[in-house]
Amino acid sequence: MSDSIERNAAEIARGVNSGAFSAAELTRSMLAHIDRTEPQVGAYLSVLHERAAATAARVDERIKQGERLPLAGVPLAVKDNMCLEGTRTTCGSKILEHWTSPYTATAVQRLLDAGCIPVGKANMDEFAMGSSCENSALGVTRNPYDLERVPGGSSGGSASAVAAFEAAIGMGSDTGGSIREPAAFCNLVGFKPTYGRVSRYGLIAFASSLDQIGPLTRTVEDAALAYDAMGGHDPMDATSIDRPFETTADGLRTDLRGVRVGIVREFATKELGPEIDALYAKAYRDLEALGAELVEVALPTAEYGLATYYLIAPAECSSNLARFDGVRYGLRVEGANVHEMYERTRAAGFGPEVKRRILIGTYALSSGYYDAYYVRAQKARTLIAQDFAKAFASCDLIAAPAASSPAFTFNAKSDPYSMYLMDYYTIPMSLAGLPALSVPCGWVTPPGGASPMPMGLQLTAPLFAERALLSAAHAYERATGHAAAQRPVIAMEATQ
Amino acid sequence: MIPLPFNHRSTPILSSEKIDIRYVATLARLALTDDEVARFGAQLGDLLEHVDALAKLDVSAVAATAQVVESRNVERDDILAPSLDREVVLAQAPARQGAFFRVPRIIAE
């Protein structure tokens, strides 16, 4: 295996722009590596051999014409809930298994315009509902650091692909933690920007007041480059924010002097066990050693985050997924009348987790229960957002765990609620619309585990403070270097 | 008309009462097997017990949040612009007739 496929996005772009190697060469090596590695990892639902080769040739042509592209030749994994014209976009669901995108999502298009090469469509929990990728109806994705463990979810395919060097940038979508949790599980940086900062045109909707697209990468710098390319206003998405866009990659600092970092009183890590507790205590001390001032902050309503989320997200999903009815696209199962066709199509097309969420959402929105459940949850959401606003009066960033444990084994969370708990630390930030990321912060060997597994430190910033957020993460990453401490078992086997 | 199985209250409160899962499934246009009715009914009951924690929050003086960042209606100028090609869209239809999506009869003879 050539080391070229292990280059990060920033290095690849420098190499292709300077002519040190071509996008076509790198893409050939990358596709060969993907073909070798995929039988073990299963990150992709489709690998785009011809599309990638054709795109690489065009990028090389643009470079030859004198253009310089911020992400020239960078291999890109696209989560399979994002449209790329002419490719299957399945959402990990049988109901869209054979559906071909008739257009390209704005965020995808902007990365292609910046020089990215789309090498595959990545597996995911069905309709982005899940925290392990096990809810995909179309394939199993494994964690490159221990093949007996899940990659996290819902953006598990994108995470697995980037961790196994099958892409340098993975596109994810985060509704309650679906970028940050798989990033933590797979030793990556996973970044969810402020709600509305990245266009969702061409992202198949799950919960519209929460969904946000962002990158999964091996370095903070790559996350910043990807965000700079994909972010900003888009007239095709009415919820995309129309205010000046601040780039981030040009402002990455190496220290945290003058930065006040809030440690959340309610997120004490003692109950996560002594090893994990010590790991986060060390992470907070490392922030302090970089010059940050640690302050205690309170988020008294954060503990209501899960209950609030599991009313709002299913309510919105039950409404969004009403469009899958067998009429215009996707699966159709015939029935004696149109109602029977709807019911049979949806019964055959949706998996159990999607059905559960549709049912809970329909119930929460139904007559007599709307105020008790849905409206009350929206009011709780207000309180949670207000708690963050109060906390940010005394700090610039908030530090917390990204997940309560390292990646777990397959079938370990068969009870739905135990799976929902995986997003305990990420959901409050999503409800408040805040920019947040996970950055590698160390390794723990789970009980009975074969090898050390990565953990993630979650940093959260006020609305639109992406620049400060990525800058702090970069300083922490540069000082600690946790990501380099272990190698994925896949790549080690391939290099032997 | 589907009969309403719930107790309608003038002042709704959070409740852990058993969900009539078949009725909810009808509203959601979802056919369920008997096994799914039993399984989902129990699982959703469990989830609602967790969700009941929200009853402890005093939200009497709190406004509901629908969108966190900005919420205003956006309209574009009323100017013709290219959109998806009809043939491309109809090519994905499970059944079509000419320029239309074909569906089973909706109005009884």
Side-chain angles (χ1 to χ4, degrees), chain B residues 76-81:
Chain B
R76 72 167 174 85
D77 295 333
D78 189 15
I79 302 167
L80 277 181

Side-chain angles (χ1 to χ4, degrees), chain A residues 7-14 70-71 74-76 107 110-111 114 116 162 167-172 179-180 183 187-194 197-198 212-232 245-252 435-440 457 459 466-475 477:
Chain A
R7 289 191 181 101
N8 297 327
E11 297 164 347
I12 291 168
R14 272 196 297 275
L71 295 169
V74 174
L76 178 70
R110 288 182 179 179
L111 288 175
C116 281
V162 176
I169 296 173
M171 295 184 78
I179 290 174
R180 290 161 283 164
N187 193 29
L188 301 174
V189 176
F191 172 39
K192 182 201 90 75
T194 301
R197 256 314 186 198
V198 178
Q212 188 54 217
I213 292 175
L216 295 104
T217 55
R218 292 188 296 269
T219 68
V220 174
E221 184 188 16
D222 284 1
L225 288 168
Y227 168 70
D228 289 353
M230 69 169 88
F245 182 80
E246 221 182 12
T247 56
T248 57
D250 52 339
L252 300 176
L437 57 76
S438 176
V439 58
L457 173 69
L459 297 173
E466 277 85 2
R467 200 172 157 92
L469 177 65
L470 286 159
S471 187
H474 179 256
E477 170 192 66

Side-chain angles (χ1 to χ4, degrees), chain A residues 98-100 102-103 194-195 208-209 238-239 241-243 301 304 307-308 310-311 326-330 332 334-335 337-339 341-343 346-347 350 352 355-356 358-360 362-363 366-369 371-373 375-383 416-417 420 431-433 463-464, chain B residues 4 6-9 12-21 23-32 36 39-40 43-44 46-48 50-60 62-70 72 74 84 88-90 92-95 101-106:
Chain A
H98 304 292
W99 186 68
T100 301
Y103 65 99
T194 301
Y195 176 80
S208 300
S209 78
T239 61
I241 303 290
D242 189 6
R243 60 163 84 182
T301 55
Y304 297 99
T308 303
Y310 277 99
L311 289 169
V327 172
R328 288 153 299 164
Y329 39 68
R332 174 187 289 191
E334 298 293 347
N337 53 53
V338 78
H339 285 284
M341 183 193 85
Y342 293 154
E343 294 192 339
R346 291 159 65 79
F350 293 137
K355 288 177 183 173
R356 265 193 293 276
I358 289 174
L359 291 169
I360 199 78
T362 303
Y363 180 68
S366 64
S367 171
Y369 292 82
D371 287 327
Y373 286 116
V375 174
R376 181 173 281 265
Q378 287 188 309
K379 290 179 175 178
R381 184 174 187 178
T382 305
L383 294 176
Y417 194 74
Y420 298 168
L431 289 168
L463 293 170
F464 304 111
Chain B
L4 293 173
F6 302 137
N7 300 319
H8 284 258
R9 305 180 179 88
I13 54 160
L14 288 174
S15 153
S16 300
E17 75 189 69
K18 209 165 154 46
I19 309 175
D20 183 343
I21 208 83
Y23 171 70
V24 178
T26 304
L27 293 178
R29 300 284 181 263
L30 200 55
L32 296 183
E36 285 177 322
R39 198 154 35 97
F40 292 155
Q43 288 168 338
L44 299 195
D46 286 351
L47 179 63
L48 286 185
H50 291 290
V51 162
D52 270 354
L54 289 182
K56 284 186 273 178
L57 279 177
D58 179 9
V59 293
S60 50
V62 180
T65 294
Q67 290 274 325
V68 197
V69 180
E70 285 176 0
R72 62 192 170 81
V74 179
L84 291 177
V88 170
V89 173
L90 280 166
Q92 301 275 339
F101 297 105
R102 188 180 169 88
V103 293
R105 175 180 295 278
I106 291 169

